[in-house]
Amino acid sequence: MAGDHVLTVDAVVKEYGSKRVVDRVSLDVKRGEIMGFLGPNGAGKTTTIRMIMGITAPDEGKIVFHLNGKPSSQIPKARVGYLPEERGLYREARVMEILVFLGGLKGLSAQEARKRAKQWLERMGLGAYANAKVNELSKGMAQKVQFIAAVMHDPDLVVLDEPYSGLDPVNQDVFKREIIALADRGCAVLLSSHQMNLVEETCHRLFLINKGKRVLYGPIREIKAEYGVHRVVMVVNDPKWRLPESRSVESVQRDGQRWTCLLRPGTEPVDFLRELPPQSPIEEISVARISLHDIFVRIAQGGEAA
Amino acid sequence: MTGIGRVIVWEVGRHLRNKQFLIGIFLMPVIFVLIGGIPSLIEYLDTPRQEVYGVIDQIGALPMIETQLEGTEVRVVAGDDTQTLAQAVADGEIDGYFVLDPAFIATGEIQVVAERPTRVNRQLLTQALSFVMQQQRLAEAEIGWEQLAYVTAPARVEAVSLSTVVSADGENGGNAEDAEQMAHTVMAIAFAGALLILIVSSGSMLLQSALQEKRDRMIEVVLSSIGPDTLMFGKIIGQFILGVIQLGFWAAVGLPIAYFAFDVPIGDFIDLSLLPTFLFFTLLGYLFFAAIFVGIGATMEDIQSAGNSQGMVFMLPVLPFVVVGPISSNPDGLIARIATLLPITSPTVAIFRMGFTKVPVWELLTAGVLLLVSTFIVVKLAAKLFRVGMLMYGKTASIGEMVKWLRQA
């Protein structure tokens, strides 16, 4: 992954009336990187994305693109692709017509747009639907067409707002593969999603926003290392057994023979294991870091990152 | 091609491929013909019932009454006696009967006996019988028919233009002036009508287009490639071209039919000297209303949810209809002059009025400047509404919200 920035968002603020929807958010996206942009509903993700896309303007702060060799606060629209959360297609139009139109808006000639649209449709398994009307497509097919419209002009930066929503697992995999391929080709990807497992599998770094403010920002591995505390799951075959008091444990849940212990931040699993009495009737034991999903849920519910 | 060019091509192209639009092009003239023709057809089919009256003629005036009633829905037949005629009335063979005797000539009073007196066509019978009575009385006074015709002839009033009277070329020069005035009138009415159709049909398509952009959730994708102003102007110009294509098609079909089938002298109705002024008001008038439509359209979720205030906006282009009557009867009157200056009516009214009178240059210039300035302001405001409104989903904006957007944007 190259280190050069494609996009820099610097302390942007957006207010609607007296409500501050985005509060001094700063982030950057690098070439060849997939940046996860996460947050609960109403956290300010779409507002931030709309500011990045130049659809609305920030009240404060600046957004800088580094695409043509020099920084610019004007979005180079022809070099950026966008798949919005509120998306659709002209219902009465045909797939190829729409792709040629949208490709044209990105600066492609009609001939080039048609050629690329055809290649992408084949690649996404929609070759036979080039002349189909949009209202004849399934939701997944329509979503693929929307994705093609966002990337067919070979952009340097792609902003994908909830690309996986509404897709079945097979199509989620198709999208995941294509998004990774985009980054491999050097495209910077800003990806907003609620599918944490897919974010975890796809993104290099992530930015977590809540109530308009930054909560987490950095490489996924580091975030998980820093905030992803360990969870110990034990199967105990003695119903009378009790877990001894421990400073290492933040919370305990018991479900029959199954005990789930969430360790305090900074606690190594081995320290917790040492605290267990030697004669404990433990049949099974497993140790793992909590998932990104758990980190997200804890933050969305108003807790700290860890 | 620029962004605006691509939007124009897209708007025009997809409508020209749209069956509804194509059917509309063919159907609209049919609807106009039907709307214009149905009243005539009903009138034609609803031929008045022929009324028949029996007459016992004791003074030899029956032929005179028959002549007077010729071509009307009342007919008279000779009768022998009142009993026979009464029976015929009772049997429904005739509508009534009356007796023409010297007493009628002396008193002027006559009774028409009928089964249903309210259905007696008193107007026609009164006219015919009055004539008979006057003839008989004049004959008694020994005044002849020619003298009567001379005395009772009505005045014939004819309106002619001043040029007919003062033209140095005499009759021919006057006729040329009249022909020119007629050309102006026909051309003005045609242009004003075309402008109204253009505004109403293209305006409604613009509204649909803005709503469709929101309904199909395409707006964010499009705005990620071009600015909202580019999209708005692309739509406005695209719909203008579609409107012109529509009018052009009707003209291409209608004018040859009018020329060849109905001998309408189309060439005589075209005066190119009016064209620049007409085009100026047509283009600005369209832009003025198109901007209003697209701006308001962006604030709506769908056509059904338009509030009363928004709905009223779509009535604005037909406002000139209210003043068409007063203007055509008094094209230099106060109403005509005010409507020429008001930007909301000026495009249609200025064109329409030029067909009936020589509008002072200062009035046209003032109207043009006012329209130009108003259009500029309306376009600016519409662009603000469009920018914010197009990104709002799920509800139609209130007036308060629109005012807020106009202040913020």
Side-chain angles (χ1 to χ4, degrees):
Chain A
M1 182 172 49
D4 51 335
H5 294 176
V6 168
L7 167 72
T8 304
V9 178
D10 185 12
V12 294
V13 170
K14 186 71 184 176
E15 291 175 345
Y16 287 115
S18 58
K19 191 178 178 191
R20 185 166 279 212
V21 183
V22 176
D23 189 3
R24 297 186 62 77
V25 163
S26 298
L27 63 96
D28 54 61
V29 188
K30 297 168 189 167
R31 197 171 298 283
E33 172 186 58
I34 304 173
M35 163 71 80
F37 191 53
L38 313 180
N41 293 333
K45 296 191 300 293
T46 298
T47 305
T48 307
I49 286 173
R50 282 180 174 178
M51 287 190 283
I52 291 170
M53 293 310 302
I55 295 171
T56 54
D59 296 324
E60 290 175 30
K62 57 183 178 182
I63 295 166
V64 182
F65 297 87
H66 314 265
L67 292 178
N68 298 320
K70 55 180 182 179
S72 167
S73 57
Q74 286 290 317
I75 178 170
K77 292 189 171 186
R79 303 303 316 136
V80 180
Y82 180 39
L83 181 70
E85 185 183 18
E86 285 283 358
R87 56 180 170 252
L89 293 166
Y90 298 114
R91 280 181 225 171
E92 284 86 19
R94 296 182 191 280
V95 169
M96 184 56 84
E97 288 170 4
I98 295 177
L99 291 175
V100 170
F101 169 58
L102 294 175
L105 291 183
K106 291 294 186 188
L108 298 179
S109 67
Q111 195 184 5
E112 182 64 20
R114 192 166 282 111
K115 186 179 135 197
R116 292 195 191 189
K118 203 173 168 209
Q119 286 169 350
W120 269 102
L121 287 168
E122 293 289 347
R123 183 170 171 159
M124 300 293 266
L126 293 177
Y129 293 89
N131 291 315
K133 284 196 171 179
V134 165
N135 50 22
E136 296 166 11
L137 302 180
S138 70
K139 190 182 176 189
M141 289 174 180
Q143 209 151 321
K144 283 180 179 173
V145 176
Q146 290 152 1
F147 180 81
I148 293 170
V151 300
M152 65 183 283
H153 58 292
D154 200 14
D156 292 311
L157 169 67
V158 175
V159 179
L160 305 171
D161 198 352
E162 296 292 347
Y164 301 116
S165 72
L167 290 176
D168 61 40
V170 175
N171 279 320
Q172 282 183 352
D173 277 351
V174 172
F175 270 55
K176 192 176 82 177
R177 190 185 68 220
E178 291 300 336
I179 291 167
I180 291 169
L182 279 173
D184 288 346
R185 289 201 296 275
C187 179
V189 181
L190 182 65
L191 170 73
S192 167
S193 176
H194 283 131
Q195 273 84 356
M196 290 302 136
N197 58 326
L198 294 170
V199 169
E200 210 166 340
E201 292 165 18
T202 318
C203 296
H204 302 110
R205 292 193 299 152
L206 67 82
F207 185 102
L208 185 52
I209 184 172
N210 193 22
K211 294 173 184 165
K213 293 182 177 174
R214 185 183 90 173
V215 182
L216 288 176
Y217 179 40
I220 287 194
R221 206 174 301 160
E222 286 177 22
I223 286 174
K224 285 192 73 176
E226 189 174 351
Y227 301 104
V229 295
H230 288 91
R231 178 192 283 126
V232 180
V233 180
M234 300 179 293
V235 177
V236 182
N237 64 7
D238 182 358
K240 292 177 184 167
W241 185 81
R242 291 288 177 272
L243 185 71
E245 282 290 319
S246 168
R247 282 181 301 168
S248 310
V249 177
E250 187 177 284
S251 64
V252 179
Q253 264 190 324
R254 187 184 169 188
D255 182 14
Q257 293 183 314
R258 189 183 175 87
W259 292 71
T260 304
C261 306
L262 200 62
L263 305 188
R264 288 188 190 281
T267 303
E268 290 301 322
V270 69
D271 295 332
F272 167 73
L273 294 177
R274 278 198 201 101
E275 292 174 4
L276 293 175
Q279 67 277 25
S280 297
I282 297 170
E283 282 204 345
E284 291 176 24
I285 189 164
S286 64
V287 179
R289 281 194 185 277
I290 64 168
S291 65
L292 202 55
H293 174 92
D294 294 317
I295 297 172
F296 179 87
V297 170
R298 289 171 65 147
I299 290 168
Q301 287 172 343
E304 291 302 312
Chain B
M1 197 187 289
T2 58
I4 197 164
R6 291 186 190 278
V7 176
I8 293 169
V9 170
W10 172 251
E11 284 288 321
V12 174
R14 74 173 166 152
H15 277 89
L16 289 181
R17 287 190 294 268
N18 185 306
K19 280 182 201 152
Q20 281 177 324
F21 177 79
L22 295 175
I23 290 170
I25 284 188
F26 288 98
L27 216 57
M28 280 274 266
V30 177
I31 290 170
F32 283 143
V33 168
L34 283 179
I35 290 171
I38 281 175
S40 309
L41 186 68
I42 291 170
E43 201 178 345
Y44 173 76
L45 293 174
D46 191 25
T47 309
R49 191 177 61 90
Q50 190 78 39
E51 293 174 36
V52 182
Y53 294 92
V55 181
I56 298 170
D57 184 11
Q58 297 173 0
I59 56 172
L62 189 61
M64 202 183 291
I65 296 180
E66 282 174 335
T67 310
Q68 286 298 305
L69 293 172
E70 207 172 276
T72 71
E73 57 265 35
V74 175
R75 193 161 58 86
V76 286
V77 291
D80 296 328
D81 56 76
T82 53
Q83 275 184 333
T84 314
L85 290 175
Q87 188 56 49
V89 171
D91 294 344
E93 291 167 7
I94 59 174
D95 295 273
Y97 70 90
F98 52 88
V99 179
L100 279 179
D101 55 12
F104 162 62
I105 304 300
T107 64
E109 289 173 4
I110 191 165
Q111 281 188 333
V112 179
V113 181
E115 183 82 3
R116 283 184 283 182
T118 50
R119 293 188 63 178
V120 171
N121 194 328
R122 289 178 60 191
Q123 192 187 352
L124 280 174
L125 284 176
T126 302
Q127 279 174 10
L129 289 169
S130 297
F131 182 79
V132 168
M133 187 183 74
Q134 286 164 7
Q135 284 294 308
Q136 292 291 330
R137 287 179 179 179
L138 286 165
E140 282 171 12
E142 295 182 346
I143 298 171
W145 155 246
E146 283 179 3
Q147 286 161 304
L148 172 70
Y150 176 69
V151 170
T152 57
R156 294 191 300 275
V157 179
E158 186 187 0
V160 293
S161 69
L162 179 65
S163 56
T164 311
V165 181
V166 300
S167 170
D169 297 335
E171 201 176 310
N172 287 341
N175 284 346
E177 290 279 335
D178 283 348
E180 189 186 319
Q181 184 58 50
M182 173 63 89
H184 284 194
T185 306
V186 173
M187 190 170 160
I189 291 173
F191 246 85
L195 174 59
L196 264 181
I197 293 171
L198 186 69
I199 290 171
V200 172
S201 71
S202 294
S204 73
M205 285 198 293
L206 253 179
L207 174 76
Q208 295 288 350
S209 178
L211 291 175
Q212 188 188 34
E213 211 79 45
K214 288 176 82 170
R215 183 200 70 187
D216 291 346
R217 298 289 190 263
M218 283 300 291
I219 189 67
E220 280 192 64
V221 172
V222 174
L223 292 186
S224 72
S225 301
I226 52 170
D229 295 357
T230 306
L231 177 63
M232 190 180 91
F233 280 107
K235 282 186 177 296
I236 287 175
I237 297 169
Q239 294 298 340
F240 178 77
I241 292 170
L242 284 166
V244 170
I245 288 173
Q246 199 169 335
L247 289 171
F249 176 80
W250 295 342
V253 174
L255 294 182
I257 290 175
Y259 184 76
F260 291 110
F262 299 102
D263 288 333
V264 178
I266 303 293
D268 295 351
F269 297 144
I270 297 169
D271 183 347
L272 292 177
S273 67
L274 294 175
L275 208 56
T277 318
F278 282 12
L279 284 179
F280 173 83
F281 281 104
T282 300
L283 290 174
L284 272 189
Y286 170 76
L287 186 57
F288 180 85
F289 284 107
I292 291 178
F293 282 3
V294 80
I296 295 293
T299 68
M300 291 158 52
E301 176 63 9
D302 52 49
I303 197 82
Q304 287 80 18
S305 65
N308 284 338
S309 47
Q310 276 118 319
M312 288 295 284
V313 170
F314 301 108
M315 301 299 289
L316 292 178
V318 291
L319 209 60
F321 271 126
V322 179
V323 289
V324 157
I327 291 173
S328 53
S329 61
N330 186 8
D332 295 315
L334 188 64
I335 293 176
R337 288 158 73 185
I338 291 172
T340 305
L341 297 176
L342 280 179
I344 218 121
T345 48
S346 70
T348 321
V349 168
I351 293 172
F352 185 73
R353 210 179 137 201
M354 284 171 74
F356 289 86
T357 185
K358 280 194 165 53
V359 183
V361 175
W362 75 265
E363 277 187 40
L364 286 177
L365 281 176
T366 311
V369 170
L370 284 175
L371 183 60
L372 198 66
V373 172
S374 311
T375 305
F376 180 77
I377 294 168
V378 164
V379 166
K380 281 273 178 199
L381 295 178
K384 284 185 175 187
L385 287 180
F386 190 80
R387 236 172 275 157
V388 185
M390 287 299 274
L391 290 170
M392 192 184 72
Y393 302 112
K395 69 167 198 157
T396 293
S398 65
I399 297 286
E401 281 171 316
M402 283 192 261
V403 172
K404 202 169 102 186
W405 296 351
L406 290 175
R407 282 185 183 156
Q408 283 177 350

